[in-house]
Amino acid sequence: RGSDPPPRAMAGHNKWSKVKRLKAVTDSRRGKVFSRLARDITLAAKAGGGNPDGNARLRTLILKAREANMPADNVDRAVKKGTGELPGVVYEEVTYEGYGPGGVAFVVKVTTDNKQRAAQDVRAAFARWGGNLASAGAVSFQFLHAGQFLVARDRAAEDALMELALDAGADDVIASEQGCEIRCGIHSFDKVSHALERKGIKADSAEIAYIPVNTVPVKDAAHADALERLHDALDEIDDVQQVFSNEEAGA
């Protein structure tokens, strides 16, 4: 495997539980999902060009858009806004760090055209549910920032998937009852993504993630409820794209 693999981490909201939540998108929230995907597609096209064959992040997002039944015209417009072929709002990516109830660490990824508004909205969500924003670097050291692919057990044989992923540059493959979690360095994300695609293996989730190195136990039902409400409050903010936290799985 080359260098030592990154430390293993437990799941929390950042693994299979999050995949299940995303798959349960209702019609009432579909517009918000489309809006977030469009922002990410625009940023990906701006950073790496509008050709998905040469832009792994864009290719992954387009696949997500298809799975969410996002209209092809919406995807095309988002790409063209990123490449400058169409006028569009200028978005910035911002990462906020904070603590939730019980000292649970949060990393919140935001894509926004107004950083002041985004900061106010995120700060208010933390304050309402017993948390607070922290300074940059205050909690991110508790997470592994890496590429993460989740492949359900019925999509590929474990041994073959492990060999394929490691040969493509992955650092670790962790098997569980649900399937396999592949981790790789950020710069290896494209290569691992291509390797899975060439074999026709569809990942349930593929993203640059903040994976908790250690987890914080959930004390009781009230604590779990407050954490769930904080997750929901952050998810309701239009500018928020991704939320990572390190409470123990099953919270």
Side-chain angles (χ1 to χ4, degrees):
R1 300 185 185 185
S3 59
D4 292 336
R8 296 193 176 196
M10 294 182 69
H13 277 268
N14 301 279
K15 203 174 171 183
W16 298 97
S17 56
K18 187 174 74 171
V19 172
K20 291 177 183 176
R21 285 164 65 104
L22 290 176
K23 285 186 174 180
V25 174
T26 61
D27 288 340
S28 63
R29 299 198 55 217
R30 201 168 297 278
K32 183 172 291 186
V33 171
F34 290 172
S35 174
R36 289 178 175 179
L37 282 168
R39 291 185 189 193
D40 271 352
I41 289 169
T42 295
L43 280 170
K46 181 179 179 181
N51 182 358
D53 291 336
N55 186 336
R57 183 183 179 193
L58 178 61
R59 188 170 59 254
T60 299
L61 288 166
I62 289 175
L63 288 173
K64 284 185 179 181
R66 288 175 183 167
E67 290 173 7
N69 294 318
M70 183 174 174
D73 286 348
N74 294 29
V75 174
D76 188 53
R77 282 197 301 272
V79 171
K80 287 181 177 177
K81 286 178 182 178
T83 58
E85 295 172 73
L86 288 176
V89 175
V90 177
Y91 291 114
E92 295 179 84
E93 290 183 294
V94 188
T95 301
Y96 295 105
E97 301 178 32
Y99 287 101
V104 170
F106 277 74
V107 176
V108 182
K109 298 286 290 182
V110 165
T111 303
T112 183
D113 60 346
N114 186 325
K115 288 196 291 186
Q116 183 177 356
R117 179 193 65 218
Q120 289 173 345
D121 288 347
V122 172
R123 184 178 292 109
F126 274 100
R128 184 177 181 186
W129 298 110
N132 59 276
L133 278 183
S135 58
V139 306
S140 58
F141 70 92
Q142 300 180 55
F143 295 81
L144 171 70
H145 192 203
Q148 182 189 57
F149 299 83
L150 302 181
V151 180
R153 184 167 291 279
D154 61 353
R155 297 191 186 277
E158 184 180 314
D159 290 345
L161 180 62
M162 184 173 294
E163 182 178 359
L164 175 70
L166 295 175
D167 285 347
D171 296 311
D172 205 359
V173 180
I174 304 167
S176 68
E177 291 182 4
Q178 295 97 331
C180 288
E181 175 191 3
I182 301 168
R183 296 182 185 174
C184 66
I186 293 172
H187 295 297
S188 299
F189 185 88
D190 191 8
K191 191 175 178 183
V192 174
S193 178
H194 269 300
L196 293 175
E197 288 176 20
R198 282 195 297 270
K199 290 293 184 180
I201 299 172
K202 181 181 176 184
D204 290 68
S205 174
E207 63 183 356
I208 303 298
Y210 283 86
I211 307 166
V213 175
N214 297 297
T215 55
V216 174
V218 178
K219 300 172 185 176
D220 50 38
H223 182 201
D225 182 65
L227 282 167
E228 192 69 24
R229 290 179 182 273
L230 175 54
H231 272 279
D232 289 342
L234 290 168
D235 191 53
E236 285 296 318
I237 300 171
D238 287 340
D239 291 333
V240 171
Q241 299 293 93
Q242 295 171 293
V243 180
F244 303 96
S245 57
N246 71 341
E247 71 268 30
E248 282 188 358

